[in-house]
């Protein structure tokens, strides 16, 4: 948006002048109430605020595989419901033998033997169009791991995301964006730039995305886990293939990964 007198665009410039400045003053308080406390303790949040040595996090995999963390991740998967993946295992079916399932999953992550299964392709109507939007549905098992991964990674990148970015952000939504627009209109701004990235999730370059994650995460096993999810096969009926680029829309980590690739602090 720009003001009627042509003095804008303050909507772009109105951001902290230094990476992390937006949240540092309040860490580890109310703005971070959404984080998983079993992973992000006050000590870790304090390190996040101060900035870790070299700007990279070197040890994160041990935050993912404890059974209690996976249990918390499963609770979130349950709350989000969702259909079964290629193995036809529903959330309810997975919960019937939850302790054993989480114990097995923890061991696989700890030993490095975990491998994600293919995702199931499902199509939903796209509003205002005859086209259909492709969704990728991971198995419940893989959704649990992706949720734990997201719980560990999200604060690291959320710390530096733009203040006035609202999509797929914890504690933010459409109403926050509308309030921002209303404030700008009342301040005298009159112009809007409207842009849409066609098939954005499906066209993100995998190598560039991994490179941007690697700017802040140096744990090789966590990076390998992210790469494994990006390399998941897609099962569409009887056809199976591995996409050359993109992150599947419908996967737990994809919203975070999409924001990481768009964020200017990792360019």
């Amino acid at each position: 948006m720009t003001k009627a007198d042509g003095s804008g665009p303050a909507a772009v410039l109105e951001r902290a002048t230094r990476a992390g400045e937006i949240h540092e003053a309040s860490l580890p308080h109310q703005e971070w109430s959404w984080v998983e406390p079993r992973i992000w303790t006050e000590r870790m949040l304090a390190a996040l605020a101060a900035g870790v040595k070299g700007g990279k996090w070197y040890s994160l995999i041990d935050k993912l595989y404890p059974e209690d963390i996976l249990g918390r991740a499963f609770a979130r998967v349950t709350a989000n419901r969702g259909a079964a993946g290629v193995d036809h295992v529903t959330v309810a079916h997975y919960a019937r033998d939850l302790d054993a399932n989480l114990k097995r999953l923890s061991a696989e992550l700890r030993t490095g033997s975990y491998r994600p299964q293919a995702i199931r392709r499902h199509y939903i109507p796209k509003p205002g169009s005859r086209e259909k939007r492709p969704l990728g549905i991971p198995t419940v098992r893989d959704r649990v791991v992706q949720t734990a991964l997201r719980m560990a990674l999200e604060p690291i990148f959320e710390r530096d995301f733009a203040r006035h970015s609202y999509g797929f952000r914890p504690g933010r939504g459409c109403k926050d964006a509308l309030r921002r627009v209303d404030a700008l209109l009342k301040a005298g701004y009159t112009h809007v730039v409207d842009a849409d990235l066609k098939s954005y999730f499906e066209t993100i370059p995998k190598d560039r995305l991994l490179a941007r994650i690697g700017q802040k995460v140096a744990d090789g096993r966590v990076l390998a886990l992210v790469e494994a999810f990006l390399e998941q096969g897609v099962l569409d009926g009887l056809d199976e293939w591995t996409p050359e680029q993109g992150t599947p829309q419908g996967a737990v980590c994809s919203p975070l990964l999409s924001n990481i690739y768009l964020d200017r602090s990792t360019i």
Side-chain angles (χ1 to χ4, degrees):
M1 289 188 174
T2 56
K3 282 187 175 180
D5 61 8
S7 60
V12 175
L13 298 177
E14 192 172 302
R15 178 184 170 165
T17 57
R18 181 169 55 87
E21 192 169 300
I22 294 167
H23 296 305
E24 281 183 6
S26 61
L27 280 175
H29 302 298
Q30 68 278 3
E31 289 195 41
W32 295 90
S33 60
W34 54 269
V35 303
E36 173 49 56
R38 288 174 174 80
I39 296 178
W40 287 93
T41 61
E42 288 195 9
R43 181 178 179 181
M44 284 189 67
L45 285 174
L48 184 67
V52 293
K53 185 177 181 180
K56 293 187 177 184
W57 292 80
Y58 284 86
S59 182
L60 289 172
I61 191 66
D62 62 315
K63 308 297 188 296
L64 304 184
Y65 57 64
E67 291 178 42
D68 65 325
I69 297 297
L70 295 175
R72 294 289 294 175
F74 178 74
R76 296 193 185 191
V77 170
T78 301
N80 291 330
R81 296 181 292 181
V86 295
D87 59 359
H88 305 292
V89 175
T90 64
V91 172
H93 186 270
Y94 195 88
R96 290 174 192 166
D97 200 12
L98 184 61
D99 290 344
N101 286 331
L102 295 183
K103 184 176 182 178
R104 185 182 308 112
L105 199 54
S106 174
E108 291 176 357
L109 288 168
R110 187 175 61 254
T111 61
S113 61
Y114 169 81
R115 298 293 183 274
Q117 296 171 276
I119 61 173
R120 181 168 66 86
R121 177 57 54 89
H122 177 68
Y123 296 89
I124 61 173
K126 184 182 292 187
S129 172
R130 294 183 178 179
E131 297 181 28
K132 290 190 175 181
R133 189 186 306 278
L135 293 183
I137 303 176
T139 62
V140 173
R141 162 185 176 268
D142 291 339
R143 296 208 295 271
V144 171
V145 177
Q146 285 201 29
T147 300
L149 179 64
R150 182 170 179 171
M151 291 191 303
L153 291 181
E154 194 158 34
I156 295 172
F157 293 92
E158 181 68 26
R159 172 186 185 270
D160 296 323
F161 282 162
R163 180 181 177 187
H164 294 302
S165 166
Y166 300 98
F168 306 119
R169 302 280 302 281
R172 296 166 179 251
C174 294
K175 290 184 178 180
D176 299 296
L178 289 173
R179 280 189 282 267
R180 173 64 177 162
V181 170
D182 181 63
L184 290 169
L185 290 172
K186 290 176 179 176
Y189 292 84
T190 58
H191 291 76
V192 177
V193 176
D194 184 14
D196 181 39
L197 300 177
K198 183 176 176 59
S199 302
Y200 172 58
F201 279 80
E202 292 79 22
T203 57
I204 299 174
K206 296 179 184 180
D207 55 343
R208 295 182 185 177
L209 174 59
L210 285 168
R212 293 189 183 182
I213 297 172
Q215 291 177 16
K216 296 182 180 180
V217 175
D219 188 322
R221 291 178 63 183
V222 168
L223 293 175
L225 193 57
V226 174
E227 185 173 11
F229 284 125
L230 292 176
E231 295 297 330
Q232 280 179 281
V234 175
L235 185 64
D236 188 352
L238 297 177
D239 298 324
E240 184 173 358
W241 75 96
T242 301
E244 294 182 0
Q245 57 186 2
T247 178
Q249 190 167 356
V252 177
C253 283
S254 290
L256 172 61
L257 298 180
S258 70
N259 276 338
I260 290 172
Y261 189 70
L262 281 178
D263 183 53
R264 72 181 188 181
S265 71
T266 57
I267 295 177

